[in-house]
Amino acid sequence: MKNNKQKNKEIVISVESRKGGVGKTTAALCMARLLLQNNYKVLFLDLDITGTNAADFESSLFWKENIFIIQEPTKQKTSQPVNLIELFDNTFMSGKPIPPFTMEKSCEDLQIDPTKVNIIGSQIYKINSKTDISIEHPGILFDDLYSFWLLEFIKRIIKNFVNISKFKKVAIILDNSPGYVGISPAIQEWLTDCGPDYSKFLFVTSLDPQDLHACGEATKSIHKLYQEKWDTRSIFINMSNKSKGKGKNSIIIKNKRQEAFFMRLATNFDSLPFYEDSLRQNTKGQIFCEHPSQYISTIINRVPRAIKTGDLAYNKSILAQLLFEGENEQVNREKMIFYDEYLEHQFFSQYLQQKRRISNGRFHKLIDTFETSERELRKVYRNENKLTSPFEIDIEHYGYFKQLATTNNIIIHALTEFDNAGLKYLSNLIHDEWLPTSIVPKFRRALEDMLRESEFPYFDSSATDWNNYQTHIFREDFRKHLHHIPEVEIENKQIADKFINLLSNIVFLSLPMHLWHSPFQKELFELFTAVIIFEIKHWVKREEKYTEKFNIARFLAQESISEKEMDMLGEYRFLRHYRMREENVSFVDFYKVCTSTQARLIDFREDSIFLLRLFHGMITYNEKGKEKGESVLFPFVKGIAEDVIVNKSVSHEEEQNRIAKAFQAAEYFKEFNAALKGVLKKWESVDE
């Protein structure tokens, strides 16, 4: 790769796995789309010749808005997608020139679209007719010499793309073959020659222990390969300086691989610009040696929800070793991708058809069900006018339970109608955590986890009969205690009142009154005092930093604290009998559940109406798809529901426009995007 770093930013990313079916191609496409959004011009080369052909995604609802499949040059009206293996065979191996890239329509060159991810697919099976299927050059899978030729061909393809694009930021994504056969070793050798400043490795693995181990060994192998080359470079420079009377005497070449690289430096040093002798390269090269996560990253796909959320813990030492991170469970979970079977549809969405067609009568009945359900919800909320604001105290308290239960029953009834109409694949898209009755149980479980892991000699989580308790007495004690903390100053009193009332409602919805008779009532007060302290401090800090007004629900949904901030508590040492051990649930996690639960309580009525509108849109667009002979899969549903209900990053005023827009285009995969953003940020930090 040409060293024009000062003028242009070029990056080559090899996306790898040690076994098939772990989501490598999905990760590669997500990374390509993310780079496109970051103003890179992207070329995607499908080197997984026995896996899914990336060119088949052309009609996929999940991808078609963002990808451009490079076609074979032809004078005919119709053309076929370029097959990388056939192009290799018909040009490079036949001694013919590789067609150059062009941004114009051409019958001789390979047309690209700089506004999209440009894909060259590959497949080893050559289909000659309906019955005649032959394999194209099986030696490419195992023959080292054949892999060497293919690598040279790939280098020329990349060079052509860089030359025609002439853009400041160019990214090449290599969807590498799984395992350690074929071209994969040659790719790794070449990319470590280019150096980690330009070349990155993204590994995708599952939680299968064998897969984790193989992936961990592969990352170590690549890093060892780079370290050996960097050490050899130091030996070479030292010998050069020694000949000038400046070098040191210690010279050790450890193995044949280092010896071979030394000879390449001696005979063709200019072809390895990353290893040049300069202060800048000395610094950057050493950073990569000491911090391999700056150019090698791993994401773990198909993770069960309980592990992703932290309800179940996976062996942290294995993950820490694999991810090149400290044993920080929170960091590990950020690199985990929850398995959603619906994502499998991305590979064959264009071939799917709805087996059971619903009649017009059934369709209109479904629409009527959703509209009736929305009217019922609005009627319930109008009649319960004593719950006008979640920031006010619920005097009778069990009114919230009543509304949550009624709301949930209406939502469940609407979902059941999906199933009755033969559209269960649509109702399966709706996660339980979006339903209103998930709000209180999630908080209760988090609190019970904290208390069970403590050394409380008294803890009773039995249910409370709200009709036989005068809860306002305990609630007022709770609120008075929170209002006496120093952080509730005069200028912060208004927002403090809202946070305290919200937390009071959540606490008394979740906790049995027996607990407040405990001799450790003060410790419980201090636990929630700590929550309020952080909420107020972070709110004030955020208002000082930004000029625009923040929605409280959005603030709480996105709120979090770090382990370092725990020192802010000072004298407020919550849960004095709580002994924080490494394996215990931390206050950091509990705080996140507290704030997200408060955010959900604020908007649970609006969120429920939003869900019904979402149902309405899904069935309407499903019917339109049926009229066109298409199967509508709604890859966006999870993204928009998470944004509106969980993250609160889309307001209820904006939801209608967002739904209308999202029904017409695929949304990016939320968790892949979040994980890969972190990877890119880590990689780019070396240049800062």
Side-chain angles (χ1 to χ4, degrees):
M1 181 177 291
K2 187 178 178 180
N3 185 19
N4 55 352
K5 170 77 175 164
Q6 293 180 348
K7 295 181 180 179
N8 299 331
K9 173 66 177 178
E10 299 172 16
I11 183 173
V12 178
I13 302 173
S14 178
V15 184
E16 310 203 5
S17 66
R18 281 300 165 261
K19 72 175 186 178
V22 296
K24 173 177 57 64
T25 299
T26 300
L29 284 167
C30 285
M31 177 62 83
R33 182 160 50 187
L34 184 59
L35 288 163
L36 183 71
Q37 293 167 352
N38 287 351
N39 299 317
Y40 281 83
K41 306 308 173 184
V42 185
L43 175 64
F44 184 106
L45 298 179
D46 182 4
L47 306 182
D48 187 1
I49 57 180
T50 59
T52 304
N53 185 0
D56 290 342
F57 294 160
E58 184 174 18
S59 302
S60 172
L61 289 170
F62 291 78
W63 298 105
K64 66 179 182 180
E65 299 295 324
N66 303 106
I67 65 175
F68 179 80
I69 307 300
I70 298 176
Q71 304 290 311
E72 292 181 351
T74 179
K75 295 181 180 180
Q76 304 297 323
K77 291 183 179 180
T78 60
S79 60
Q80 296 294 321
V82 172
N83 181 353
L84 189 71
I85 304 305
E86 286 188 335
L87 184 65
F88 169 64
D89 189 45
N90 295 334
T91 59
F92 187 89
M93 295 300 291
S94 301
K96 298 178 182 178
I98 302 170
F101 291 107
T102 178
M103 287 180 277
E104 307 293 335
K105 288 187 176 181
S106 173
C107 60
E108 297 179 351
D109 301 336
L110 301 174
Q111 182 186 351
I112 64 171
D113 183 346
T115 66
K116 295 186 177 183
V117 174
N118 295 275
I119 294 179
I120 297 182
S122 69
Q123 54 186 16
I124 200 168
Y125 293 102
K126 185 176 181 180
I127 303 176
N128 299 320
S129 66
K130 291 183 179 180
T131 58
D132 185 11
I133 300 178
S134 60
I135 193 167
E136 179 92 16
H137 294 299
I140 199 171
L141 295 175
F142 310 106
D143 188 89
D144 290 341
L145 182 58
Y146 213 91
S147 295
F148 172 79
W149 291 332
L150 181 58
L151 177 60
E152 291 302 312
F153 165 73
I154 291 169
K155 290 180 184 179
R156 295 187 189 183
I157 289 281
I158 293 174
K159 183 179 180 180
N160 288 349
F161 184 79
V162 172
N163 289 342
I164 186 60
S165 61
K166 298 187 183 301
F167 298 114
K168 291 184 178 180
K169 300 172 72 175
V170 178
I172 311 297
I173 303 294
L174 306 178
D175 183 12
N176 218 330
S177 58
Y180 199 73
V181 295
I183 197 172
S184 184
I187 290 287
Q188 293 174 7
E189 185 72 38
W190 168 56
L191 291 184
T192 51
D193 280 354
C194 295
D197 199 13
Y198 302 99
S199 309
K200 314 293 182 183
F201 296 89
L202 176 65
F203 280 85
V204 184
T205 179
S206 65
L207 281 176
D208 174 70
Q210 183 168 298
D211 193 16
L212 279 172
H213 177 77
C215 221
E217 290 300 311
T219 56
K220 291 178 185 177
S221 176
I222 290 174
H223 188 52
K224 181 180 179 181
L225 180 60
Y226 165 65
Q227 283 182 310
E228 286 181 353
K229 291 182 178 182
W230 186 255
D231 291 343
T232 306
R233 172 254 192 200
S234 301
I235 294 172
F236 177 79
I237 292 174
N238 188 37
M239 286 191 65
S240 300
N241 290 336
K242 186 179 179 182
S243 65
K244 301 174 184 178
K246 300 178 182 179
K248 300 178 182 179
N249 291 323
S250 57
I251 301 174
I252 301 175
I253 293 181
K254 300 177 181 179
N255 54 49
K256 293 286 185 181
R257 198 160 58 182
Q258 278 189 292
E259 183 178 330
F261 190 69
F262 183 92
M263 294 303 298
R264 290 173 59 201
L265 289 172
T267 57
N268 200 8
F269 190 62
D270 292 341
S271 67
L272 300 164
F274 177 78
Y275 297 92
E276 68 182 15
D277 184 13
S278 69
L279 179 61
R280 178 177 180 273
Q281 291 305 98
N282 287 340
T283 302
K284 296 189 73 173
Q286 196 58 39
I287 289 175
F288 290 122
C289 280
E290 296 172 358
H291 304 284
S293 61
Q294 298 287 0
Y295 74 102
I296 305 175
S297 289
T298 304
I299 58 174
I300 306 173
N301 194 22
R302 299 175 176 270
V303 176
R305 180 175 295 276
I307 295 177
K308 168 72 176 177
T309 58
D311 293 334
L312 289 176
Y314 202 83
N315 189 310
K316 290 195 293 182
S317 63
I318 294 178
L319 297 181
Q321 183 183 30
L322 172 64
L323 301 179
F324 290 119
E325 301 283 356
E327 295 192 13
N328 185 327
E329 188 176 359
Q330 187 175 359
V331 172
N332 290 339
R333 289 206 300 269
E334 289 174 358
K335 293 188 177 182
M336 293 181 179
I337 311 299
F338 165 65
Y339 174 63
D340 188 342
E341 63 181 11
Y342 198 63
L343 297 186
E344 299 292 345
H345 292 157
Q346 65 177 300
F347 301 116
F348 44 76
S349 61
Q350 62 269 37
Y351 307 117
L352 294 178
Q353 292 182 354
Q354 187 176 310
K355 184 176 180 181
R356 179 181 173 185
R357 299 293 181 91
I358 62 173
S359 64
N360 288 333
R362 174 77 71 174
F363 166 73
H364 291 297
K365 182 180 179 180
L366 274 172
I367 295 297
D368 184 62
T369 296
F370 300 143
E371 292 176 349
T372 301
S373 298
E374 184 174 341
R375 287 194 297 270
E376 288 179 6
L377 280 183
R378 294 187 182 280
K379 183 178 179 181
V380 169
Y381 301 151
R382 250 192 334 266
N383 292 342
E384 298 287 346
N385 53 19
K386 55 193 168 188
L387 299 180
T388 54
S389 170
F391 300 113
E392 299 174 1
I393 291 296
D394 175 11
I395 302 301
E396 295 184 0
H397 191 67
Y398 54 84
Y400 272 116
F401 266 134
K402 182 179 177 182
Q403 270 206 10
L404 287 168
T406 302
T407 299
N408 199 69
N409 289 339
I410 293 174
I411 298 293
I412 293 298
H413 173 70
L415 283 173
T416 302
E417 290 301 311
F418 266 126
D419 297 349
N420 293 340
L423 300 174
K424 189 174 179 62
Y425 75 94
L426 293 182
S427 64
N428 285 343
L429 295 176
I430 307 303
H431 292 180
D432 290 342
E433 63 186 279
W434 301 339
L435 303 181
T437 50
S438 70
I439 298 174
V440 171
K442 184 176 180 180
F443 174 81
R444 183 186 292 127
R445 285 194 301 270
L447 180 59
E448 289 178 354
D449 286 343
M450 283 280 291
L451 296 178
R452 287 196 181 99
E453 294 294 339
S454 72
E455 295 185 0
F456 269 90
Y458 179 94
F459 174 62
D460 181 3
S461 61
S462 58
T464 297
D465 181 0
W466 297 108
N467 294 314
N468 295 327
Y469 272 92
Q470 294 180 324
T471 62
H472 64 280
I473 297 175
F474 303 102
R475 182 177 56 250
E476 286 305 312
D477 288 343
F478 180 78
R479 293 177 67 248
K480 286 178 182 178
H481 177 86
L482 295 183
H483 275 290
H484 285 135
I485 62 177
E487 280 70 18
V488 184
E489 300 170 353
I490 298 299
E491 59 267 29
N492 299 327
K493 189 176 186 306
Q494 185 176 4
I495 187 64
D497 279 341
K498 292 184 176 182
F499 288 148
I500 290 171
N501 286 349
L502 269 174
L503 191 57
S504 297
N505 283 326
I506 291 293
V507 167
F508 286 93
L509 276 171
S510 308
L511 281 182
M513 289 303 103
H514 310 83
L515 197 59
W516 298 105
H517 292 294
S518 163
F520 302 101
Q521 186 184 80
K522 184 176 181 180
E523 281 76 3
L524 285 170
F525 281 146
E526 288 183 349
L527 170 62
F528 294 107
T529 295
V531 173
I532 294 297
I533 288 174
F534 281 116
E535 288 181 347
I536 294 173
K537 282 184 176 292
H538 287 189
W539 176 268
V540 172
K541 183 178 180 181
R542 193 167 185 176
E543 281 204 322
E544 290 174 351
K545 185 176 181 180
Y546 302 101
T547 55
E548 66 266 27
K549 294 293 182 183
F550 282 93
N551 176 282
I552 294 178
R554 180 179 298 187
F555 164 78
L556 289 170
Q558 300 175 4
E559 175 65 345
S560 64
I561 60 173
S562 65
E563 295 284 357
K564 295 180 180 179
E565 289 183 281
M566 296 296 291
D567 293 337
M568 286 174 51
L569 291 175
E571 62 183 283
Y572 298 100
R573 306 311 300 174
F574 59 91
L575 293 177
R576 294 174 184 174
H577 294 267
Y578 185 75
R579 298 292 182 264
M580 190 70 69
R581 298 187 296 272
E582 182 182 354
E583 69 273 13
N584 288 342
V585 179
S586 71
F587 177 76
V588 172
D589 295 327
F590 175 71
Y591 177 79
K592 180 63 181 176
V593 174
C594 280
T595 57
S596 62
T597 304
Q598 288 172 277
R600 290 291 307 278
L601 186 65
I602 292 173
D603 285 342
F604 83 87
R605 287 168 283 194
E606 292 82 358
D607 290 344
S608 301
I609 291 174
F610 158 75
L611 276 177
L612 289 174
R613 289 174 178 169
L614 195 62
F615 299 167
H616 191 292
M618 288 166 67
I619 189 63
T620 300
Y621 276 85
N622 188 78
E623 187 68 10
K624 289 181 179 179
K626 184 188 74 173
E627 294 171 359
K628 298 178 182 179
E630 300 174 350
S631 178
V632 183
L633 289 175
F634 311 116
F636 67 89
V637 166
K638 181 180 179 182
I640 189 173
E642 292 283 329
D643 284 346
V644 173
I645 297 175
V646 181
N647 301 325
K648 304 296 180 186
S649 56
V650 174
S651 69
H652 287 285
E653 290 75 19
E654 302 169 314
E655 72 181 43
Q656 289 285 48
N657 290 333
R658 179 70 184 273
I659 291 175
K661 180 180 178 181
F663 271 118
Q664 300 172 31
E667 288 287 309
Y668 52 77
F669 301 154
K670 299 291 290 185
E671 291 190 8
F672 262 112
N673 196 63
L676 294 177
K677 274 186 176 180
V679 168
L680 278 181
K681 184 177 180 181
K682 186 81 171 178
W683 286 349
E684 293 174 349
S685 64
V686 182
D687 297 323
E688 297 177 355

